Amino acid sequence: MKPDCIIIGSGLAAIWSAKFLNDAGFTTLMITKNQVWDCNSFYAQGGVTMANDENDVPLHIEDTLKAGSFHNKKEAVEILSKASVKLKQELLEYGFRFDPGVTREGAHSVSRVYHKGGDATGREIHKFLLQKDKSYLLDEAIVFDILIENGVAYGVSVLHKGKKYNIYANNVIIASGGVGALYKYDTNARTISGDMQGLAVEKGIVLKDMEMTQFHPTVFIEMKFSQKLLLTEALRGEGAHVIDEKGRRFLFDYDERGELAGRDIVSRAIFMHQQKGHKVFLDVSMFDEEFFKKRFPTIYTKLRDYDINVPYEPIPISPAFHYMMGGIEVDLNSKVKGFENLYAVGEVAYTGVHGANRLASNSLLECFIFAKKAAKEIIEKKFSTKEKNFEINSEELFKNDDKHYKNLLREQMWRNVGIIRDEKGLKEALSFIDETIPKLGRLAKLRFLTAKEIVKAALNRKESLGAHYRKDENA
């Protein structure tokens, strides 16, 4: 059976687009690299931003533009905010209910962030939607090629249970997430490695704003696993303090908003303070233990497992890579430019809503709004591909030293393409990438191609803007 739509990924953007397609009678095949829940949406602690009412829309737009250093695509931001008002009712009618109360997070002017399960919003939404999902599922399958000819996507090539084969469809939606595995410290799911962005490079698909990589300021990095424990923005929004070893709230030295400044500002301030030899902590002692345990159950349990006696004991923190604002350039209906039937939704896509720095909790909102727009366009167009067979790419997918080089890349990206950048470090990273690519298997190569686009974009933008900070901009 040839599905109406292949969806690469299994996060919120993937499932929400599938919902509308399935409701319209379209068949969807969801392909995921690991298990269906191993995606960034599942691990999202932050909530969903939704404008309180029509009167709050202009202020939400303004907050989003300010956070993004006015580098956003304003028309996309307006679509995002206006649709957010209706989303509340849409989710309610679908049977999903948020926790009572609304919180305020960094760089928001008012409280407008909705949560579920305390600090488990992503997990609760993902579980709820997955139970209702009607897609066919192919898990533990790696997409290593998209079958493209003359602006039409005919399907994908996958590796599944040791075998390579092609799957054809009438439409393809890329919903594969960001690039977390490119960095030494990151908060992303283990499967998020930027493969599809690298594939876009190979296919000549435009990537935009790839230098705009967001680092979350408050992350517990003393974990055994590559995925580190994010300490949600809501902690600071509800009163937690960032302090150094002397107990001083040094963030006010960098911005008058202190803990409530934008993520780029707070991340840089913490990083710079660490570079001066200071240790940095998140002080949560102002919270009652029972409240903390109920409001932030994931954080409470995991930190207690690491013998950190929260909320009485301060939490050692560091910034870590968190979110990619750039990605595959799409139009306002999430269609990849120059294509008839190829779409990108969620973090893998560049819609323009986030600009140079994403406003807290706008990410899940973007998944809802623009995934629906992709589905609606597919439904309206009723595009059908002609019968066509493609040869399977014979390139070796894995080579023995791939893991070694991927780890070296993560070190390079953290050191030279991280929170603070300069020309010398960026050129060092670019040379390493160019020298290494010929040594790699196909899948590692795609990861390196994505990293190369980030480095090139960072070199080209010589002045600091939002999350992209060049310490040599005035040199």
Side-chain angles (χ1 to χ4, degrees):
M1 182 199 73
K2 178 180 171 184
D4 292 306
C5 189
I6 286 172
I7 302 174
I8 305 168
S10 60
L12 175 56
I15 298 172
W16 196 241
S17 58
K19 172 205 179 307
F20 292 97
L21 290 167
N22 296 154
D23 287 350
F26 284 59
T27 54
T28 53
L29 172 65
M30 198 176 294
I31 303 175
T32 185
K33 194 186 289 185
N34 201 331
Q35 300 302 314
V36 70
W37 57 81
D38 200 5
C39 57
N40 279 351
S41 300
F42 185 84
Y43 296 105
Q45 293 178 9
V48 181
T49 300
M50 290 183 282
N52 292 303
D53 49 36
E54 296 292 345
N55 294 328
D56 186 36
V57 167
L59 188 55
H60 177 223
I61 291 170
E62 184 181 348
D63 287 347
T64 300
L65 293 173
K66 279 183 179 177
S69 301
F70 298 95
H71 187 62
N72 325 57
K73 190 185 290 183
K74 190 175 181 182
E75 190 177 357
V77 177
E78 289 170 348
I79 289 170
L80 182 83
S81 187
K82 289 173 183 176
S84 75
V85 179
K86 299 174 184 175
L87 179 62
K88 279 181 264 187
Q89 187 61 32
E90 189 172 19
L91 287 170
L92 190 63
E93 290 173 359
Y94 200 48
F96 186 81
R97 285 168 173 77
F98 288 98
D99 294 340
V102 188
T103 62
R104 180 184 173 191
E105 296 185 1
H108 285 270
S109 298
V110 298
S111 297
R112 60 165 79 92
V113 181
Y114 292 74
H115 293 265
K116 180 70 173 179
D119 59 0
T121 306
R123 183 172 71 222
E124 293 302 315
I125 293 175
H126 193 264
K127 281 166 52 182
F128 174 82
L129 294 179
L130 201 56
Q131 288 169 356
K132 290 175 171 274
D133 183 59
K134 299 173 184 174
S135 301
Y136 293 95
L137 176 65
L138 183 65
D139 59 6
E140 298 185 359
I142 298 172
V143 173
F144 63 88
D145 207 355
I146 300 179
L147 310 174
I148 289 172
E149 188 175 280
N150 298 327
V152 173
Y154 287 86
V156 299
S157 299
V158 299
L159 174 70
H160 183 238
K161 294 184 177 180
K163 294 182 179 179
K164 293 179 179 180
Y165 54 89
N166 292 339
I167 305 175
Y168 298 94
N170 292 323
N171 299 275
V172 175
I173 296 177
I174 304 171
S176 54
V179 302
L182 300 187
Y183 283 90
K184 183 178 180 180
Y185 301 119
D186 75 275
T187 64
N188 290 191
R190 294 166 298 171
T191 56
I192 307 300
S193 54
D195 306 3
M196 292 300 103
Q197 292 89 334
L199 196 49
V201 173
E202 186 180 76
K203 300 294 181 183
I205 296 169
V206 175
L207 299 179
K208 191 164 182 180
D209 279 6
M210 292 296 284
E211 73 275 25
M212 299 304 177
T213 51
Q214 185 179 79
F215 297 83
H216 199 286
T218 53
V219 179
F220 178 68
I221 64 171
E222 297 175 15
M223 308 275 288
K224 298 173 185 176
F225 312 105
S226 58
Q227 181 188 5
K228 309 306 178 185
L229 177 62
L230 182 143
L231 304 174
T232 174
E233 196 100 16
L235 280 162
R236 286 176 287 130
E238 296 182 32
H241 298 158
V242 175
I243 59 172
D244 60 20
E245 72 279 1
K246 297 178 181 177
R248 193 170 76 85
R249 293 175 67 187
F250 62 90
L251 289 180
F252 290 94
D253 298 346
Y254 297 86
D255 192 285
E256 61 184 10
R257 294 170 293 178
E259 284 85 5
L260 291 179
R263 286 180 177 177
D264 57 332
I265 295 168
V266 178
S267 291
R268 274 197 300 275
I270 292 173
F271 185 78
M272 289 175 176
H273 211 60
Q274 289 172 324
Q275 295 295 98
K276 295 174 184 175
H278 294 284
K279 294 180 179 179
V280 181
F281 303 86
L282 191 66
D283 177 13
V284 294
S285 61
M286 65 290 299
F287 295 111
D288 173 79
E289 183 177 350
E290 283 307 309
F291 170 83
F292 191 91
K293 189 176 182 179
K294 184 177 180 181
R295 176 67 183 84
F296 306 106
T298 306
I299 293 170
Y300 179 88
T301 302
K302 289 192 176 181
L303 289 177
R304 285 295 182 105
D305 285 345
Y306 277 85
D307 295 323
I308 296 177
N309 189 26
V310 289
Y312 309 105
E313 184 180 351
I315 308 161
I317 59 170
S318 169
F321 173 82
H322 183 54
Y323 191 85
M324 167 60 78
M325 276 79 71
I328 297 172
E329 186 174 14
V330 295
D331 64 18
L332 294 172
N333 290 312
S334 299
K335 186 158 69 69
V336 178
K337 293 190 174 181
F339 282 83
E340 290 283 347
N341 64 337
L342 180 63
Y343 299 80
V345 295
E347 192 175 346
V348 72
Y350 167 82
T351 59
V353 296
H354 303 306
N357 185 43
R358 175 173 66 81
L359 181 67
S361 291
N362 264 358
S363 51
L364 294 183
L365 174 61
E366 181 196 16
C367 290
F368 278 119
I369 304 308
F370 287 94
K372 180 179 179 180
K373 289 183 77 65
K376 291 296 184 185
E377 171 148 317
I378 290 171
I379 293 164
E380 288 169 11
K381 286 185 70 175
K382 296 182 174 65
F383 187 85
S384 181
T385 55
K386 297 176 182 177
E387 293 300 318
K388 186 172 178 60
N389 290 315
F390 285 75
E391 287 188 13
I392 296 175
N393 189 312
S394 60
E395 195 174 346
E396 190 176 358
L397 295 185
F398 306 98
K399 289 187 178 178
N400 290 336
D401 291 333
D402 284 351
K403 185 174 181 180
H404 168 69
Y405 287 121
K406 286 189 289 189
N407 284 332
L408 290 179
L409 176 66
R410 296 174 75 222
E411 294 279 356
Q412 273 283 350
M413 294 294 286
W414 181 253
R415 183 171 67 251
N416 290 320
V417 202
I419 297 167
I420 296 178
R421 304 162 176 176
D422 62 25
E423 185 175 5
K424 181 182 177 184
L426 291 169
K427 285 185 174 179
E428 178 188 316
L430 187 61
S431 294
F432 165 75
I433 291 168
D434 281 338
E435 290 167 6
T436 307
I437 283 176
K439 306 172 186 177
L440 303 171
R442 176 167 177 74
L443 292 172
K445 182 186 80 172
L446 295 178
R447 186 181 298 206
F448 271 64
L449 288 175
T450 302
K452 184 174 181 178
E453 289 301 299
I454 296 171
V455 177
K456 284 167 55 183
L459 274 167
N460 289 337
R461 189 174 295 281
K462 300 185 183 300
E463 295 182 352
S464 298
L465 183 67
H468 170 67
Y469 186 82
R470 289 283 297 259
K471 69 179 181 181
D472 58 346
E473 64 174 327
N474 296 316

